[in-house]
Amino acid sequence: MFSQILLFVINFLPANVGHFLCCLIKSIPVLKDVLPSPQQEPVTFSNRKGLQCISPLMRSVEETPQPILAKVKGHIPKWLNGSLLRNGPGKFEFGEEKFNHWFDGMALLHQFQLENGIVTYRSKFLQSDSYVTNSRHNRIVVSEFGTLAMPDPCKSIFGRFISWFEMPRPTDNSSVNYVVYKGDYYVSTETNLMRKVDPETLETKEKVDWSKFVVVNGATAHPHYEPDGTAYNMGNSYGKHGSSYNIIRIPPQKSNRNDTLQGAKVLCSIAPAEKMKPSYYHSFGMSENYVIFIEQPIKINLCRVITSKFLGKPIADGINWEPQYKTRFHVVNKHTGELLPGQFYSKPFATFHHINAFEDQGCVVLDLCCQDDGGSLQTYQLQNLRKAGEGLDQIYNSAARAFPRRFVLPLNVDSSMPVGQNLSPLSYTSASAVKEMDGTVWCMHENLHSEDLEEVGGMEFPQINYSRCNGRKYRFFYGCGFRHLVGDSLIKVDTETKKMKVWQEDGFYPSEPVFVPVPKATAEDSGVILSVVVTPSQNQNTFLLVLDAETFSELGRAEVPVQMPYGFHGIFVPR
């Protein structure tokens, strides 16, 4: 009854006042349930039992700053010279205070250096402001994605009270990926702050702020690159008029030795469907001529984010899966910055990682890993990842699996095209794009996998032969199978036959596969796959795995007696 009265009152208020009141009510735990919420259909996922406890993979470890020699078993190709650089969380508490979310852990940088069949390993904690400040105070001072820092107990009562009204400062805990701009190496998360690092020594260098060069409040950790080094990225901007999605272009060359992001330019700004509820995104697609951005139903409630500290909540509390919204595809000409007028929609799905995109017969073909439920951000609370027994099984079975899917987006849609017909001319895919009565295009996907992929838990962390195939028609991609909450197998998928090859070893958990091509290779899959394989067992070694990318057979492994947490992303830097 109270909710009906409240809605009646709001309907008679000016639109902007009513919207603000709704946002305020939804952000207050005591009142947010008074407004009706959309009904969500239950989704059935899996029914696995007896999962191994992986809690040791989510524990703090010590760094290994001096290189140690790995024990090689099998054969490491002599041509494979360079460094595999990996990034991910490595410290989950300071003093008595603990982080809540997997994404919150302090960045630990890993390096496997390969030279003439010899492998060494080292690791160092990123000396970010967040890490240094937390270490100095021996408590969590800087808020992270899923953890709100508490006010300084040494402050006065008034000082602590006032601190609840201060906006949380962005973290420079860049724990997600390595990225390259103008030949320099950075580690990145999704805030506006990156850290330059030395890829040889892993030393932390200067902090770089995106907002000093372009009007954005953050950027993804998954940029795309042209062969000449030109980079593209995306970042949101937030202001008094709401938010925008921004496509950024970064030039390939430095203007001087101190140059970082000088010359970066916002190529195109896209308005969200709702200004105060932009979509969360982790990556985007790029073909030869277009950038493809997916506006998905994982929504950032800006009212909640703005009031999160006052309400004692982390930023993660303001990000939610809202499947009452459709998924929309935006296509932008990356040369002109023009947003194509076509309105492409699909059923609600969530995506974190794109596989590839290419153009064919007047269409963009877009491949990505999709989930039918976007609640997985909450799944990766550390308390969930550290569960054992039935509790762990329940968490896994309630989380959606990701599967590779293909979409087709016709580039030239106009009023002359027939309604109700598939506009895709591509005979090699069953993905369809059907024009609706209102002029929008409804996109139905093709599954890029056989039923066998369901048996290995779907797939995430997709990778391709990037230097050869990104933005071009391709055949193979690689990823991790997820019969656990972290990857427990490596997979190669043939997009033409949908057949797959799998590497798996009980009790071991491989990281994102990184493809390294053989010098002067002619075949797309002529090269190796590198993956760091970790284990929760104290009696087993972590190792760098080297697979033949064509046959997916093991060539060799380089073992190190070091415990490592399960990490996120990385790159190979050739010598």
Side-chain angles (χ1 to χ4, degrees):
M1 182 65 181
F2 177 64
S3 65
Q4 292 175 338
I5 296 171
L6 192 58
L7 284 172
F8 178 80
V9 172
I10 289 173
N11 285 334
F12 280 89
L13 292 172
N16 58 339
V17 177
H19 176 74
F20 174 78
L21 186 56
C22 283
C23 288
L24 185 61
I25 290 169
K26 290 178 181 178
S27 69
I28 299 174
V30 178
L31 298 178
K32 66 181 180 181
D33 292 331
V34 303
L35 295 179
S37 57
Q39 296 297 313
Q40 298 185 16
E41 295 182 10
V43 183
T44 303
F45 300 118
S46 55
N47 189 31
R48 294 207 69 204
K49 296 180 180 180
L51 291 174
Q52 180 183 24
C53 177
I54 57 169
S55 180
L57 302 183
M58 304 294 160
R59 300 291 182 190
S60 297
V61 297
E62 298 295 324
E63 63 182 6
T64 308
Q66 298 303 318
I68 61 173
L69 187 65
K71 180 180 179 181
V72 174
K73 294 182 177 180
H75 168 66
I76 307 294
K78 292 290 181 67
W79 60 263
L80 187 60
N81 294 310
S83 296
L84 177 68
L85 304 177
R86 291 271 305 157
N87 199 352
K91 185 173 179 61
F92 297 96
E93 68 283 314
F94 286 92
E96 298 298 316
E97 298 184 6
K98 296 175 171 45
F99 290 116
N100 298 324
H101 200 281
W102 185 27
F103 299 171
D104 299 342
M106 295 290 100
L108 180 60
L109 311 181
H110 307 265
Q111 177 200 71
F112 282 89
Q113 199 164 71
L114 303 96
E115 187 171 5
N116 296 320
I118 297 172
V119 183
T120 59
Y121 168 78
R122 77 166 94 190
S123 66
K124 291 182 181 180
F125 279 105
L126 180 70
Q127 298 300 302
S128 62
D129 290 349
S130 299
Y131 178 86
V132 171
T133 304
N134 292 342
S135 297
R136 186 169 63 247
H137 290 84
N138 198 33
R139 67 181 188 87
I140 297 172
V141 178
V142 182
S143 296
E144 299 290 342
F145 174 76
T147 304
L148 178 68
M150 293 293 105
D152 186 347
C154 296
K155 284 186 176 181
S156 66
I157 294 176
F158 180 74
R160 278 179 285 172
F161 175 75
I162 290 297
S163 69
W164 285 111
F165 297 89
E166 298 170 349
M167 284 292 290
R169 61 182 178 180
T171 180
D172 66 337
N173 176 37
S174 304
S175 63
V176 178
N177 202 2
Y178 281 83
V179 296
V180 183
Y181 297 113
K182 301 182 182 183
D184 288 330
Y185 290 83
Y186 298 83
V187 284
S188 175
T189 180
E190 295 182 337
T191 70
N192 57 303
L193 302 175
M194 298 188 298
R195 278 285 184 169
K196 189 183 289 187
V197 295
D198 186 325
E200 290 291 329
T201 65
L202 301 185
E203 292 299 319
T204 303
K205 301 172 84 172
E206 67 259 40
K207 179 171 62 178
V208 177
D209 185 345
W210 277 99
S211 66
K212 303 294 185 185
F213 303 94
V214 285
V215 184
V216 295
N217 297 93
T220 82
H222 291 286
H224 279 291
Y225 308 100
E226 298 275 23
D228 70 350
T230 300
Y232 292 82
N233 207 338
M234 286 196 64
N236 280 7
S237 56
Y238 308 111
K240 62 181 180 179
H241 299 298
S243 56
S244 295
Y245 311 118
N246 303 288
I247 297 169
I248 311 161
R249 181 165 58 203
I250 304 94
Q253 302 295 332
K254 291 185 178 183
S255 58
N256 59 69
R257 62 188 302 269
N258 297 318
D259 188 344
T260 54
L261 297 177
Q262 280 84 350
K265 176 185 177 182
V266 171
L267 189 65
C268 177
S269 293
I270 303 169
E274 287 191 58
K275 287 277 187 181
M276 296 302 290
K277 265 192 176 181
S279 292
Y280 170 80
Y281 55 93
H282 186 71
S283 64
F284 61 98
M286 187 175 84
S287 67
E288 184 178 356
N289 296 294
Y290 299 95
V291 167
I292 305 95
F293 165 64
I294 293 179
E295 191 172 11
Q296 61 184 348
I298 302 179
K299 295 293 185 176
I300 305 172
N301 187 321
L302 294 183
C303 290
R304 283 191 181 179
V305 171
I306 291 168
T307 58
S308 61
K309 188 173 182 180
F310 173 71
L311 297 171
K313 299 288 186 179
I315 289 174
D317 191 61
I319 303 177
N320 294 284
W321 170 242
E322 301 190 15
Q324 69 270 27
Y325 294 94
K326 300 173 186 176
T327 297
R328 183 174 182 180
F329 305 82
H330 298 277
V331 182
V332 175
N333 185 311
K334 71 182 187 184
H335 306 296
T336 66
E338 176 194 5
L339 176 64
L340 270 60
Q343 299 183 49
F344 307 100
Y345 291 92
S346 183
K347 70 174 187 177
F349 69 81
T351 183
F352 293 93
H353 297 109
H354 288 243
I355 302 171
N356 199 6
F358 60 90
E359 298 156 36
D360 193 9
Q361 300 180 51
C363 299
V364 166
V365 181
L366 183 67
D367 298 344
L368 58 160
C369 291
C370 301
Q371 302 173 11
D372 288 326
D373 182 276
S376 58
L377 287 174
Q378 299 304 319
T379 300
Y380 286 93
Q381 297 282 344
L382 286 168
Q383 64 178 2
N384 293 335
L385 295 169
R386 291 170 177 167
K387 287 182 182 291
E390 291 183 5
L392 177 61
D393 296 343
Q394 183 178 1
I395 293 296
Y396 176 82
N397 292 326
S398 64
R401 309 271 73 78
F403 291 93
R405 294 174 180 172
R406 171 166 288 178
F407 292 88
V408 173
L409 311 176
L411 294 172
N412 300 300
V413 180
D414 57 42
S415 58
S416 67
M417 292 185 168
V419 172
Q421 292 186 22
N422 182 13
L423 303 182
S424 169
L426 306 179
S427 60
Y428 55 81
T429 177
S430 61
S432 63
V434 177
K435 186 179 176 184
E436 304 282 278
M437 289 290 293
D438 60 1
T440 61
V441 178
W442 186 255
C443 300
M444 294 286 289
H445 69 267
E446 173 195 9
N447 289 327
L448 278 184
H449 63 90
S450 63
E451 292 183 1
D452 293 344
L453 189 61
E454 298 179 15
E455 297 176 10
V456 294
M459 195 196 80
E460 253 296 350
F461 294 143
Q463 290 286 311
I464 60 172
N465 183 343
Y466 191 92
S467 61
R468 174 182 175 129
C469 299
N470 188 60
R472 303 178 182 92
K473 197 171 183 179
Y474 74 114
R475 182 167 180 177
F476 303 107
F477 63 91
Y478 313 86
C480 289
F482 273 73
R483 292 188 306 168
H484 209 301
L485 289 172
V486 297
D488 74 332
S489 64
L490 294 170
I491 300 168
K492 175 184 180 180
V493 177
D494 185 327
T495 62
E496 293 184 5
T497 66
K498 298 185 182 178
K499 292 182 179 179
M500 68 180 196
K501 296 177 180 179
V502 180
W503 179 93
Q504 191 266 337
E505 199 166 301
D506 288 344
F508 288 89
Y509 299 87
S511 70
E512 168 192 69
V514 174
F515 181 91
V516 183
V518 170
K520 299 180 181 179
T522 55
E524 178 186 328
D525 59 350
S526 181
V528 298
I529 292 294
L530 301 180
S531 175
V532 178
V533 183
V534 298
T535 175
S537 172
Q538 302 298 313
N539 301 320
Q540 301 284 346
N541 286 331
T542 297
F543 58 91
L544 173 65
L545 175 68
V546 184
L547 299 179
D548 183 310
E550 181 181 0
T551 64
F552 231 53
S553 59
E554 182 175 336
L555 296 176
R557 60 178 68 182
E559 297 182 344
V560 290
V562 176
Q563 291 296 310
M564 297 182 203
Y566 195 87
F568 298 134
H569 300 288
I571 59 174
F572 183 77
V573 182
R575 280 193 182 278

